[in-house]
Coordinates of all heavy atoms in Angstrom, one line a residue:
M199 N 94.7 113.2 104.1 CA 94.4 112.3 105.3 C 95.7 112.0 106.0 O 95.6 111.2 107.0 CB 93.7 111.1 104.8 CG 92.4 111.2 104.2 SD 91.5 109.7 104.6 CE 90.0 110.2 103.9
S200 N 96.7 112.6 105.6 CA 98.0 112.3 106.4 C 98.1 113.3 107.5 O 97.5 114.4 107.5 CB 99.2 112.4 105.4 OG 99.3 113.7 105.0
T201 N 98.8 112.9 108.5 CA 99.0 113.7 109.7 C 100.4 114.1 109.8 O 101.3 113.3 109.8 CB 98.5 113.0 110.9 OG1 99.3 111.8 111.0 CG2 97.1 112.6 110.9
A202 N 100.7 115.4 109.9 CA 102.0 115.9 110.0 C 102.3 116.2 111.4 O 101.6 117.0 112.0 CB 102.2 117.1 109.1
K203 N 103.4 115.7 112.0 CA 103.7 116.0 113.3 C 104.7 117.2 113.3 O 105.1 117.7 112.3 CB 104.5 114.8 114.0 CG 103.7 113.5 114.0 CD 102.8 113.5 115.2 CE 102.1 112.2 115.3 NZ 101.5 111.9 116.5
H204 N 105.0 117.7 114.5 CA 105.8 118.9 114.6 C 107.3 118.6 114.1 O 108.0 119.6 113.8 CB 105.8 119.4 116.1 CG 106.5 118.4 117.0 ND1 105.8 117.3 117.5 CD2 107.7 118.4 117.5 CE1 106.6 116.6 118.3 NE2 107.8 117.3 118.3
D205 N 107.7 117.4 114.0 CA 109.0 117.1 113.5 C 109.1 117.0 112.0 O 110.2 116.8 111.5 CB 109.6 115.8 114.2 CG 108.7 114.6 113.8 OD1 107.6 114.8 113.1 OD2 109.0 113.5 114.3
G206 N 108.0 117.3 111.3 CA 108.0 117.3 109.9 C 107.8 116.0 109.2 O 107.8 116.0 107.9
K207 N 107.7 114.9 109.9 CA 107.5 113.6 109.3 C 106.0 113.5 108.9 O 105.1 113.9 109.7 CB 107.9 112.5 110.2 CG 109.4 112.4 110.5 CD 109.7 111.3 111.4 CE 111.1 111.3 111.9 NZ 111.4 110.2 112.8
V208 N 105.7 112.8 107.9 CA 104.4 112.5 107.5 C 104.1 111.1 107.8 O 104.8 110.2 107.5 CB 104.2 112.8 106.0 CG1 102.8 112.4 105.5 CG2 104.5 114.2 105.6
R209 N 103.0 110.9 108.6 CA 102.6 109.6 109.0 C 101.2 109.3 108.5 O 100.4 110.2 108.4 CB 102.7 109.5 110.5 CG 104.1 109.6 111.1 CD 104.1 109.5 112.6 NE 105.4 109.6 113.1 CZ 106.1 110.7 113.4 NH1 105.5 111.9 113.2 NH2 107.3 110.7 113.9
G210 N 100.9 108.0 108.3 CA 99.6 107.6 108.0 C 99.3 107.5 106.5 O 100.3 107.6 105.7
F211 N 98.1 107.5 106.1 CA 97.7 107.3 104.8 C 97.8 108.6 104.0 O 97.4 109.6 104.5 CB 96.2 106.8 104.7 CG 95.7 106.7 103.4 CD1 96.1 105.6 102.6 CD2 94.7 107.6 102.9 CE1 95.5 105.5 101.3 CE2 94.2 107.5 101.6 CZ 94.6 106.4 100.8
R212 N 98.4 108.6 102.8 CA 98.5 109.7 102.0 C 97.5 109.5 100.8 O 97.7 108.5 100.0 CB 99.9 110.0 101.4 CG 100.8 110.4 102.5 CD 102.2 110.6 101.9 NE 102.7 109.5 101.2 CZ 103.1 109.5 99.9 NH1 103.1 110.6 99.3 NH2 103.6 108.4 99.4
F213 N 96.5 110.3 100.6 CA 95.6 110.1 99.5 C 96.2 110.6 98.2 O 96.8 111.6 98.1 CB 94.3 110.8 99.8 CG 93.3 110.7 98.7 CD1 92.6 109.5 98.5 CD2 93.1 111.7 97.7 CE1 91.7 109.4 97.5 CE2 92.2 111.6 96.7 CZ 91.5 110.4 96.6
S214 N 95.9 109.8 97.2 CA 96.3 110.2 95.8 C 95.1 109.8 94.9 O 94.5 108.7 95.1 CB 97.5 109.4 95.4 OG 97.8 109.6 94.0
P215 N 94.8 110.6 94.0 CA 93.7 110.2 93.0 C 94.0 108.9 92.3 O 93.0 108.2 91.9 CB 93.6 111.4 92.1 CG 94.3 112.5 92.8 CD 95.3 112.0 93.7
W216 N 95.2 108.6 92.1 CA 95.5 107.3 91.4 C 95.1 106.1 92.2 O 94.8 105.1 91.7 CB 97.1 107.2 91.2 CG 97.5 108.2 90.1 CD1 98.2 109.3 90.3 CD2 97.3 108.0 88.7 NE1 98.4 109.9 89.0 CE2 97.9 109.1 88.1 CE3 96.7 107.0 88.0 CZ2 97.9 109.2 86.7 CZ3 96.7 107.1 86.6 CH2 97.3 108.2 86.0
N217 N 94.9 106.3 93.5 CA 94.5 105.1 94.4 C 93.0 104.7 94.0 O 92.6 103.6 94.3 CB 94.6 105.5 95.9 CG 96.0 105.6 96.3 OD1 96.9 105.1 95.6 ND2 96.2 106.2 97.5
L218 N 92.3 105.6 93.4 CA 90.9 105.3 93.1 C 90.8 104.3 92.0 O 89.8 103.6 91.8 CB 90.1 106.6 92.6 CG 90.0 107.6 93.7 CD1 89.3 108.9 93.2 CD2 89.1 107.1 94.9
L219 N 91.9 104.1 91.2 CA 92.0 103.1 90.2 C 92.0 101.7 90.7 O 91.6 100.8 90.1 CB 93.3 103.3 89.3 CG 93.4 102.5 88.1 CD1 92.3 102.8 87.1 CD2 94.7 102.8 87.4
L220 N 92.3 101.6 92.0 CA 92.3 100.3 92.7 C 90.9 99.8 92.9 O 90.7 98.6 93.3 CB 93.1 100.3 93.9 CG 94.6 100.6 93.7 CD1 95.3 100.8 95.1 CD2 95.2 99.5 92.9
I221 N 89.9 100.6 92.7 CA 88.5 100.2 92.9 C 88.0 99.3 91.7 O 87.2 98.4 91.9 CB 87.6 101.4 93.1 CG1 87.9 102.2 94.4 CG2 86.1 101.1 93.0 CD1 87.2 103.4 94.6
V222 N 88.6 99.5 90.6 CA 88.2 98.8 89.4 C 88.3 97.3 89.5 O 87.3 96.6 89.2 CB 89.0 99.3 88.1 CG1 88.7 98.4 86.9 CG2 88.7 100.8 87.8
P223 N 89.3 96.7 90.0 CA 89.4 95.2 90.2 C 88.3 94.7 91.2 O 88.0 93.5 91.1 CB 90.8 94.9 90.7 CG 91.6 96.1 90.4 CD 90.7 97.3 90.3
L224 N 87.8 95.6 92.0 CA 86.8 95.1 93.0 C 85.4 94.9 92.3 O 84.5 94.3 93.0 CB 86.6 96.2 94.1 CG 87.8 96.3 95.0 CD1 87.6 97.4 96.0 CD2 88.2 95.0 95.7
L225 N 85.3 95.3 91.1 CA 84.0 95.0 90.4 C 83.8 93.5 90.2 O 82.7 93.0 90.0 CB 84.1 95.6 89.0 CG 84.0 97.2 89.0 CD1 84.1 97.7 87.6 CD2 82.7 97.6 89.6
V226 N 84.8 92.7 90.3 CA 84.7 91.2 90.2 C 83.9 90.7 91.4 O 83.2 89.7 91.3 CB 86.1 90.6 90.2 CG1 86.2 89.3 90.9 CG2 86.6 90.4 88.8
L227 N 83.8 91.4 92.5 CA 83.0 91.0 93.6 C 81.5 91.2 93.4 O 80.7 90.6 94.2 CB 83.5 91.8 94.9 CG 85.0 91.5 95.3 CD1 85.3 92.4 96.4 CD2 85.2 90.1 95.6
V228 N 81.1 91.9 92.4 CA 79.7 92.1 92.1 C 79.3 91.1 91.1 O 79.2 91.4 89.9 CB 79.5 93.6 91.6 CG1 78.0 93.8 91.5 CG2 80.1 94.6 92.6
T229 N 79.1 89.9 91.5 CA 78.8 88.7 90.6 C 77.6 89.0 89.7 O 77.7 88.5 88.5 CB 78.6 87.5 91.5 OG1 79.7 87.3 92.3 CG2 78.5 86.2 90.6
P230 N 76.5 89.6 90.1 CA 75.4 89.7 89.1 C 75.8 90.5 87.8 O 75.1 90.4 86.8 CB 74.4 90.5 89.9 CG 74.6 90.1 91.3 CD 76.1 90.0 91.4
L231 N 76.9 91.3 87.9 CA 77.3 92.0 86.6 C 77.7 91.0 85.5 O 77.6 91.3 84.4 CB 78.4 92.9 87.0 CG 78.1 94.2 87.8 CD1 79.3 95.0 88.0 CD2 77.1 95.0 87.1
F232 N 78.3 89.9 85.9 CA 78.8 89.0 84.9 C 78.3 87.6 85.0 O 78.9 86.6 84.4 CB 80.3 89.0 84.9 CG 81.0 88.6 86.2 CD1 81.4 87.3 86.4 CD2 81.2 89.6 87.2 CE1 82.0 86.9 87.6 CE2 81.8 89.2 88.4 CZ 82.2 87.9 88.6
N233 N 77.2 87.3 85.7 CA 76.7 86.0 85.9 C 75.8 85.6 84.8 O 74.6 85.6 84.9 CB 75.9 85.9 87.2 CG 75.6 84.5 87.6 OD1 76.0 83.6 87.0 ND2 74.7 84.4 88.6
M234 N 76.4 85.3 83.6 CA 75.6 84.9 82.4 C 76.5 83.9 81.6 O 77.7 83.8 81.8 CB 75.2 86.1 81.6 CG 76.3 87.0 81.2 SD 75.7 88.5 80.4 CE 76.5 89.7 81.4
D235 N 75.8 83.3 80.7 CA 76.5 82.3 79.8 C 77.1 82.9 78.6 O 78.2 82.5 78.2 CB 75.5 81.2 79.4 CG 76.1 80.1 78.7 OD1 77.3 79.7 79.1 OD2 75.5 79.6 77.8
G236 N 76.5 83.8 78.0 CA 77.0 84.4 76.7 C 77.4 85.8 76.9 O 77.0 86.5 77.9
P237 N 78.2 86.4 76.1 CA 78.8 85.8 74.9 C 79.9 84.8 75.3 O 80.6 85.0 76.3 CB 79.3 87.0 74.1 CG 79.6 88.0 75.1 CD 78.6 87.8 76.2
R238 N 80.1 83.8 74.4 CA 81.2 82.9 74.7 C 82.4 83.3 73.9 O 82.4 83.9 72.8 CB 80.8 81.5 74.2 CG 79.7 80.9 75.1 CD 79.3 79.5 74.7 NE 78.4 78.9 75.7 CZ 78.8 78.0 76.5 NH1 80.0 77.5 76.4 NH2 78.0 77.4 77.4
L239 N 83.6 83.0 74.5 CA 84.9 83.2 73.8 C 85.6 81.9 73.8 O 86.0 81.4 74.8 CB 85.7 84.3 74.6 CG 87.0 84.7 74.1 CD1 86.8 85.5 72.8 CD2 87.7 85.6 75.1
F240 N 85.9 81.4 72.6 CA 86.5 80.1 72.3 C 85.8 79.0 73.1 O 86.4 78.1 73.6 CB 88.0 80.2 72.8 CG 88.8 81.3 72.2 CD1 89.4 82.3 72.9 CD2 89.0 81.3 70.8 CE1 90.1 83.3 72.3 CE2 89.8 82.3 70.2 CZ 90.3 83.3 71.0
G241 N 84.5 79.1 73.1 CA 83.7 78.1 73.8 C 83.5 78.2 75.3 O 82.9 77.5 75.9
M242 N 84.2 79.2 75.8 CA 84.2 79.4 77.3 C 83.1 80.4 77.6 O 83.0 81.5 77.0 CB 85.6 80.0 77.7 CG 85.7 80.1 79.2 SD 87.3 80.8 79.7 CE 88.5 79.7 78.9
P243 N 82.3 80.1 78.6 CA 81.2 81.0 79.0 C 81.7 82.4 79.5 O 82.8 82.4 80.0 CB 80.5 80.3 80.1 CG 80.8 78.9 80.0 CD 82.2 78.8 79.4
F244 N 80.9 83.4 79.4 CA 81.3 84.7 79.8 C 81.7 84.8 81.2 O 82.7 85.5 81.6 CB 80.1 85.7 79.5 CG 80.4 87.1 79.9 CD1 81.2 87.9 79.2 CD2 79.8 87.6 81.1 CE1 81.5 89.2 79.5 CE2 80.1 88.9 81.5 CZ 80.9 89.7 80.7
F245 N 81.0 84.0 82.1 CA 81.4 84.0 83.5 C 82.8 83.7 83.8 O 83.5 84.3 84.6 CB 80.5 83.0 84.2 CG 80.7 83.0 85.7 CD1 80.1 83.9 86.6 CD2 81.4 81.9 86.3 CE1 80.3 83.8 87.9 CE2 81.6 81.9 87.6 CZ 81.0 82.8 88.5
Y246 N 83.4 82.8 83.0 CA 84.8 82.4 83.3 C 85.8 83.3 82.6 O 86.8 83.7 83.2 CB 85.0 80.9 82.8 CG 84.2 79.9 83.6 CD1 83.1 79.2 83.1 CD2 84.5 79.7 85.0 CE1 82.4 78.4 83.8 CE2 83.7 78.8 85.7 CZ 82.7 78.2 85.2 OH 82.0 77.3 85.9
W247 N 85.6 83.6 81.3 CA 86.6 84.4 80.7 C 86.6 85.9 81.2 O 87.6 86.5 81.2 CB 86.5 84.4 79.1 CG 85.3 85.0 78.5 CD1 84.3 84.3 78.0 CD2 85.2 86.3 78.1 NE1 83.4 85.2 77.3 CE2 83.9 86.4 77.4 CE3 85.9 87.5 78.3 CZ2 83.5 87.7 76.9 CZ3 85.4 88.7 77.8 CH2 84.2 88.8 77.2
F248 N 85.5 86.4 81.7 CA 85.5 87.7 82.3 C 86.3 87.7 83.6 O 87.0 88.7 83.8 CB 84.0 88.1 82.6 CG 83.9 89.5 83.3 CD1 84.1 90.6 82.5 CD2 83.7 89.6 84.6 CE1 84.0 91.9 83.1 CE2 83.7 90.9 85.2 CZ 83.8 92.0 84.4
Q249 N 86.3 86.6 84.3 CA 87.2 86.6 85.5 C 88.6 86.6 85.2 O 89.5 87.2 85.8 CB 86.8 85.4 86.4 CG 85.5 85.5 87.0 CD 85.1 84.3 87.8 OE1 86.0 83.6 88.4 NE2 83.8 84.0 87.9
F250 N 89.0 85.8 84.1 CA 90.4 85.9 83.6 C 90.8 87.3 83.2 O 91.9 87.7 83.5 CB 90.6 84.9 82.4 CG 90.7 83.4 82.9 CD1 89.8 82.5 82.3 CD2 91.6 83.0 83.8 CE1 89.9 81.2 82.7 CE2 91.7 81.7 84.2 CZ 90.8 80.8 83.7
V251 N 89.9 87.9 82.5 CA 90.2 89.3 82.0 C 90.4 90.2 83.2 O 91.3 91.1 83.3 CB 89.1 89.8 81.1 CG1 89.3 91.3 80.8 CG2 89.2 89.0 79.8
M252 N 89.6 90.1 84.2 CA 89.6 90.9 85.4 C 90.9 90.7 86.2 O 91.4 91.6 86.9 CB 88.4 90.8 86.3 CG 87.2 91.4 85.7 SD 87.4 93.1 85.2 CE 87.4 93.9 86.8
V253 N 91.5 89.5 86.2 CA 92.8 89.3 86.8 C 93.8 90.2 86.1 O 94.6 90.8 86.8 CB 93.2 87.8 86.8 CG1 94.6 87.6 87.1 CG2 92.3 87.0 87.7
A254 N 93.8 90.2 84.8 CA 94.8 91.0 84.1 C 94.5 92.5 84.3 O 95.5 93.3 84.5 CB 94.7 90.7 82.6
V255 N 93.3 92.9 84.4 CA 92.9 94.3 84.7 C 93.4 94.7 86.1 O 93.9 95.8 86.3 CB 91.4 94.5 84.5 CG1 91.0 95.8 85.1 CG2 91.0 94.4 83.1
G256 N 93.2 93.8 87.1 CA 93.7 94.0 88.4 C 95.2 94.2 88.5 O 95.7 95.1 89.2
V257 N 95.9 93.4 87.8 CA 97.4 93.5 87.8 C 97.8 94.8 87.1 O 98.7 95.5 87.6 CB 98.0 92.3 87.1 CG1 99.5 92.5 86.8 CG2 97.8 91.0 87.9
L258 N 97.2 95.1 86.0 CA 97.5 96.3 85.3 C 97.2 97.6 86.1 O 98.0 98.5 86.1 CB 96.7 96.3 83.9 CG 97.0 97.5 83.0 CD1 98.5 97.4 82.5 CD2 96.1 97.5 81.8
S259 N 96.0 97.6 86.7 CA 95.7 98.8 87.5 C 96.6 98.9 88.7 O 97.0 100.0 89.1 CB 94.2 98.8 87.9 OG 94.0 97.7 88.8
T260 N 97.0 97.8 89.4 CA 97.9 97.9 90.5 C 99.3 98.4 90.0 O 99.9 99.2 90.7 CB 98.1 96.5 91.2 OG1 96.8 96.1 91.6 CG2 99.0 96.6 92.4
W261 N 99.7 98.0 88.9 CA 101.0 98.4 88.3 C 101.0 99.9 88.0 O 101.9 100.6 88.3 CB 101.3 97.5 87.1 CG 102.6 97.9 86.4 CD1 103.9 97.7 86.9 CD2 102.8 98.5 85.2 NE1 104.8 98.2 86.0 CE2 104.2 98.6 84.9 CE3 101.9 98.9 84.2 CZ2 104.7 99.2 83.8 CZ3 102.4 99.4 83.0 CH2 103.8 99.6 82.8
I262 N 99.9 100.3 87.4 CA 99.8 101.8 87.1 C 99.8 102.6 88.3 O 100.5 103.7 88.4 CB 98.5 102.0 86.2 CG1 98.6 101.4 84.8 CG2 98.2 103.5 86.1 CD1 97.4 101.4 84.0
V263 N 99.0 102.2 89.4 CA 99.0 103.0 90.6 C 100.4 103.0 91.2 O 100.9 104.0 91.7 CB 98.0 102.4 91.6 CG1 98.1 103.1 93.0 CG2 96.6 102.7 91.0
Y264 N 101.1 101.9 91.2 CA 102.5 101.8 91.7 C 103.4 102.8 91.0 O 104.1 103.6 91.6 CB 103.0 100.4 91.7 CG 104.5 100.3 92.0 CD1 105.0 100.5 93.3 CD2 105.4 100.1 90.9 CE1 106.3 100.5 93.5 CE2 106.8 100.1 91.2 CZ 107.2 100.2 92.5 OH 108.5 100.2 92.7
L265 N 103.4 102.8 89.7 CA 104.2 103.6 88.9 C 103.9 105.1 89.1 O 104.9 105.9 89.2 CB 104.1 103.3 87.4 CG 104.7 102.0 86.9 CD1 104.5 101.9 85.4 CD2 106.2 102.0 87.2
M266 N 102.7 105.4 89.3 CA 102.3 106.8 89.4 C 102.5 107.4 90.8 O 102.6 108.6 91.0 CB 100.9 107.1 88.9 CG 100.6 106.6 87.5 SD 101.8 107.3 86.3 CE 101.2 109.0 86.3
T267 N 102.6 106.5 91.8 CA 102.7 107.0 93.2 C 104.1 106.7 93.8 O 104.3 107.1 95.0 CB 101.6 106.5 94.1 OG1 101.7 105.0 94.0 CG2 100.2 106.9 93.6
R268 N 104.9 106.0 93.2 CA 106.2 105.5 93.9 C 107.2 106.7 94.1 O 108.0 106.6 95.0 CB 106.9 104.4 93.1 CG 107.5 104.9 91.8 CD 108.1 103.8 91.1 NE 108.5 104.2 89.8 CZ 109.2 103.5 88.9 NH1 109.6 102.3 89.3 NH2 109.5 104.0 87.8
D269 N 107.2 107.7 93.3 CA 108.2 108.8 93.4 C 107.7 109.9 94.3 O 108.4 110.9 94.4 CB 108.6 109.3 92.0 CG 109.3 108.2 91.2 OD1 109.9 107.3 91.9 OD2 109.2 108.2 90.0
K270 N 106.5 109.9 94.8 CA 106.1 111.0 95.6 C 106.8 111.0 97.0 O 106.8 110.0 97.7 CB 104.6 110.9 95.8 CG 103.8 111.2 94.6 CD 102.4 111.3 94.9 CE 101.6 111.7 93.6 NZ 100.3 111.9 93.8
P271 N 107.4 112.1 97.4 CA 108.1 112.1 98.7 C 107.1 112.1 99.8 O 106.0 112.6 99.7 CB 108.9 113.4 98.6 CG 108.1 114.3 97.6 CD 107.5 113.3 96.6
T272 N 107.5 111.6 100.9 CA 106.6 111.6 102.1 C 106.7 112.9 102.9 O 105.9 113.2 103.7 CB 106.9 110.4 103.0 OG1 108.3 110.5 103.4 CG2 106.6 109.1 102.3
A273 N 107.8 113.6 102.7 CA 108.0 114.9 103.4 C 108.7 115.8 102.4 O 109.4 115.4 101.5 CB 108.9 114.7 104.6
D274 N 108.5 117.1 102.6 CA 109.2 118.1 101.7 C 110.7 118.2 102.0 O 111.4 118.4 101.1 CB 108.5 119.5 101.9 CG 107.0 119.4 101.5 OD1 106.7 118.6 100.6 OD2 106.2 120.2 102.0
A275 N 111.1 118.2 103.2 CA 112.5 118.3 103.6 C 113.2 117.0 103.6 O 112.5 116.0 103.9 CB 112.6 119.0 104.9
P276 N 114.5 117.0 103.3 CA 115.2 115.7 103.4 C 115.3 115.2 104.9 O 115.2 116.0 105.8 CB 116.6 116.0 102.8 CG 116.7 117.5 103.0 CD 115.3 118.0 102.9
D277 N 115.4 113.9 105.0 CA 115.5 113.3 106.3 C 116.9 113.7 106.9 O 117.9 113.4 106.3 CB 115.4 111.8 106.2 CG 115.2 111.2 107.6 OD1 115.0 111.9 108.6 OD2 115.2 109.9 107.7
R278 N 116.9 114.2 108.1 CA 118.1 114.6 108.8 C 118.5 113.8 110.0 O 119.4 114.1 110.8 CB 118.0 116.1 109.2 CG 117.8 117.0 108.0 CD 117.6 118.4 108.4 NE 117.2 119.0 107.2 CZ 117.3 120.3 106.9 NH1 117.7 121.1 107.9 NH2 116.9 120.8 105.8
L279 N 117.9 112.6 110.1 CA 118.2 111.7 111.1 C 119.5 110.9 110.8 O 119.6 110.5 109.6 CB 117.1 110.8 111.4 CG 115.8 111.4 112.0 CD1 114.7 110.3 112.1 CD2 116.1 112.0 113.3
S280 N 120.3 110.6 111.7 CA 121.4 109.8 111.5 C 121.0 108.3 111.8 O 119.9 108.0 112.3 CB 122.6 110.2 112.4 OG 122.3 109.9 113.8
V281 N 121.9 107.4 111.5 CA 121.7 106.0 111.7 C 121.5 105.7 113.2 O 120.6 104.9 113.6 CB 122.8 105.2 111.2 CG1 122.6 103.7 111.5 CG2 122.9 105.3 109.7
D282 N 122.2 106.4 114.1 CA 122.1 106.2 115.5 C 120.7 106.7 116.0 O 120.2 106.1 117.0 CB 123.2 107.0 116.3 CG 124.6 106.4 116.0 OD1 124.6 105.2 115.7 OD2 125.5 107.1 116.0
D283 N 120.2 107.7 115.4 CA 118.8 108.2 115.8 C 117.8 107.2 115.4 O 116.7 107.1 116.1 CB 118.5 109.6 115.2 CG 119.4 110.7 115.7 OD1 119.9 110.5 116.8 OD2 119.6 111.7 115.0
L284 N 118.0 106.5 114.4 CA 117.0 105.5 113.9 C 117.1 104.2 114.7 O 116.2 103.4 114.6 CB 117.2 105.2 112.4 CG 117.0 106.4 111.5 CD1 117.4 106.0 110.1 CD2 115.5 106.8 111.5
D285 N 118.2 103.9 115.4 CA 118.4 102.7 116.1 C 117.4 102.6 117.3 O 117.4 103.5 118.1 CB 119.8 102.6 116.6 CG 120.1 101.3 117.3 OD1 119.3 100.3 117.0 OD2 121.0 101.2 118.0
E286 N 116.6 101.6 117.3 CA 115.6 101.5 118.4 C 116.1 100.6 119.5 O 115.5 100.6 120.6 CB 114.3 100.9 117.8 CG 113.6 101.9 116.9 CD 112.4 101.3 116.3 OE1 112.0 100.2 116.7 OE2 111.8 101.9 115.4
G287 N 117.1 99.9 119.3 CA 117.6 98.9 120.3 C 118.6 99.6 121.2 O 119.2 100.7 121.0
D288 N 118.8 99.0 122.4 CA 119.8 99.5 123.4 C 121.2 98.8 123.2 O 122.1 99.3 123.9 CB 119.3 99.3 124.8 CG 118.0 100.2 125.0 OD1 118.0 101.3 124.4 OD2 117.2 99.8 125.9
A289 N 121.3 97.8 122.4 CA 122.5 97.1 122.3 C 123.5 97.9 121.4 O 123.1 98.2 120.3 CB 122.3 95.7 121.8
R290 N 124.6 98.2 121.9 CA 125.6 98.9 121.1 C 127.0 98.2 121.2 O 127.4 97.7 122.1 CB 125.7 100.3 121.5 CG 124.5 101.1 121.1 CD 124.7 102.6 121.4 NE 123.5 103.3 121.1 CZ 123.4 104.4 120.7 NH1 124.5 105.2 120.4 NH2 122.3 105.0 120.4

């Protein structure tokens, strides 16, 4: 889904299968899946402790996706722009 311009830069969204792992924490939004009283954990109804567990699952899945996608280069060739080419302002 990324778009490559003629200058070799990759812009936009880059799809990775690891990004699908970010769907798992969204299961918390489907309340009928866990809207019940039992089983209880330390006297706490399932509705509440399941939400606590899903916070940890969300953090863990976000961390895994970050670790697995952070080293992917955005372009095959190294960037050949100098600092002056990157400057967007006119003040020098």
Side-chain angles (χ1 to χ4, degrees):
M199 294 211 177
S200 63
T201 57
K203 300 274 183 169
H204 65 280
D205 59 359
K207 293 181 187 175
V208 177
R209 294 178 177 87
F211 177 74
R212 292 182 304 123
F213 178 77
S214 171
W216 287 104
N217 291 345
L218 296 175
L219 190 60
L220 296 174
I221 293 174
V222 173
L224 294 177
L225 291 175
V226 147
L227 299 176
V228 186
T229 308
L231 290 178
F232 59 94
N233 190 10
M234 57 186 128
D235 187 37
R238 290 179 171 256
L239 182 66
F240 306 116
M242 188 182 303
F244 179 75
F245 181 79
Y246 294 112
W247 68 258
F248 180 77
Q249 290 179 31
F250 284 125
V251 168
M252 287 306 288
V253 168
V255 167
V257 169
L258 183 66
S259 63
T260 303
W261 179 68
I262 290 171
V263 171
Y264 169 73
L265 287 179
M266 300 309 287
T267 59
R268 70 178 172 176
D269 294 330
K270 290 189 177 185
T272 57
D274 295 332
D277 192 12
R278 297 177 190 200
L279 293 175
S280 69
V281 174
D282 292 330
D283 292 336
L284 295 173
D285 185 21
E286 295 178 5
D288 292 330
R290 288 189 186 211

